[in-house]
Amino acid sequence: AHDVLYVENDSPIENVAIMDLMGRTLASYTVQDYHCQIDISSLPAGIYVMQLMLNDQIISKKIVKQ
């Protein structure tokens, strides 16, 4: 990933959070849609966790910003 994350899901996404590997939330976005674009240009290169909050579940994905 470089500066923008494109996120899409079959269920509506309520919220997207970007966290560091220590679990600290660096950014949080209210979405309320099936897809979104997340601007990560302000984050330094590194490894992060993107957490999608859906109606009945939380999905975590590791992302690497170059």
Side-chain angles (χ1 to χ4, degrees):
H2 289 282
D3 288 335
V4 178
L5 293 175
Y6 298 93
V7 183
E8 203 171 326
N9 195 59
D10 293 336
S11 300
I13 303 164
E14 295 178 2
N15 194 357
V16 176
I18 305 295
M19 297 176 290
D20 65 15
L21 294 179
M22 301 300 286
R24 292 179 294 229
T25 300
L26 305 174
S28 184
Y29 306 92
T30 302
V31 179
Q32 304 297 337
D33 203 346
Y34 292 90
H35 52 83
C36 63
Q37 296 180 23
I38 304 297
D39 181 2
I40 58 169
S41 60
S42 63
L43 297 177
I47 300 171
Y48 300 93
V49 175
M50 177 179 66
Q51 194 172 70
L52 303 178
M53 286 161 227
L54 312 173
N55 282 338
D56 54 353
Q57 63 181 331
I58 296 174
I59 298 172
S60 296
K61 296 284 184 184
K62 182 174 81 168
I63 58 172
V64 178
K65 180 170 183 212
Q66 300 172 347

